[in-house]
Amino acid sequence: MKLLRYGTAGQERPALLDANHQIRDLSAIVTDIDGPMLGSGAIDRLRAIDPSTLPVVSGDVRIGPCVGRPGKFLCIGLNYHDHARETGAAIPEEPVLFAKATSALSGPNDPVIRPRGAQKLDWEVELAFVVGAECRYVDEAQAAAAIAGYFVCHDVSERAFQLERGGTWDKGKGCDSFGPIGPWLVTADEAHDILDRRMWLEVNGRRYQDGSTADMIFRPAFLLSYISQFMSLQPGDIVTTGTPAGVGLGQKPPVYLQPGDSVRLGIDGLGVQQQSVVEEG
């Protein structure tokens, strides 16, 4: 099942994508695709519904972030063998954990905003998942059962903020628009082969990233179990799991996004995002 949110930013409505790629409104059944909904067992109830009985959403509508109002937006760095090598970093012995501000969340086709003072705006296609149950000190099997679904995340980064301004990575990761997710959330039962999905990213039609989730160092269930040893996680929390090689920082010489650039990215079976880069107003 593919779940999504559509409409004006801040006023999105819940929906699902049917087998004919039509958006079907879910507003009469659930209030949103968010933590309370995911933690209530509503996904099981939605599976019993015949999508053809739901209203069709017609016209050109904005697709919003596929999860609304997450409590946490957590990220894993250097989690692909080839990306660690391209940055010159050692393969991590434990996951590298950092956070994005939840205010960075945006829709899959919303503009990427280059913030004031930015010099090195970079791209990263990533597999993300959403938590569907409370997790505290869970083992890997419990963590696997607590993952509600998967989706595409664009972990937009400002490398100068991240690496040259002191402190942690968070400065270069949490700017507004730096967290496009979606277009839809694919429920865990449908995303059964998630550990062998092709993932790619193009800038102005040139493909820079062309990898696979099979190159991941730490897998999603392990990551959720690991994080739960340090903090509790609640339904609706998002974890994005790292990027393959081909980021702008890794080019020789480095290549960074500029206003007017077009970025297109996707993961097989999870959908495609497309964004234009604009200057902060």
Side-chain angles (χ1 to χ4, degrees), residues 108-112 121 123 154 200-208 255-265 272-278:
N109 304 313
D110 292 344
V112 168
L121 191 64
W123 57 81
H154 187 184
W200 52 270
L201 182 145
E202 298 171 348
V203 179
N204 299 329
R206 174 180 171 182
R207 183 157 295 192
Y208 283 93
V255 177
Y256 297 113
L257 295 170
Q258 305 296 328
D261 285 348
S262 176
V263 185
R264 191 167 181 267
L265 61 147
V272 174
Q273 301 184 1
Q274 183 157 344
Q275 299 116 19
S276 296
V277 180
V278 300

Side-chain angles (χ1 to χ4, degrees), residues 240-261:
T240 190
T241 62
T243 197
V247 300
L249 179 66
Q251 306 303 308
K252 300 186 185 305
V255 177
Y256 297 113
L257 295 170
Q258 305 296 328
D261 285 348

Side-chain angles (χ1 to χ4, degrees), residues 51-104:
S52 67
T53 65
L54 299 170
V56 174
V57 178
S58 58
D60 185 15
V61 296
R62 171 186 175 268
I63 304 301
C66 58
V67 178
R69 296 173 298 282
K72 302 181 190 71
F73 193 170
L74 302 174
C75 311
I76 304 299
L78 300 174
N79 195 32
Y80 282 69
H81 294 90
D82 58 1
H83 177 53
R85 286 193 296 269
E86 79 171 340
T87 64
I91 301 299
E93 296 183 6
E94 295 189 41
V96 176
L97 179 63
F98 62 96
K100 279 185 176 288
T102 55
S103 53

Side-chain angles (χ1 to χ4, degrees), residues 206-228:
R206 174 180 171 182
R207 183 157 295 192
Y208 283 93
Q209 292 188 275
D210 196 353
S212 170
T213 56
D215 192 48
M216 223 181 264
I217 299 167
F218 304 107
R219 306 299 176 87
F222 175 84
L223 290 170
L224 181 51
S225 172
Y226 179 86
I227 296 167
S228 79

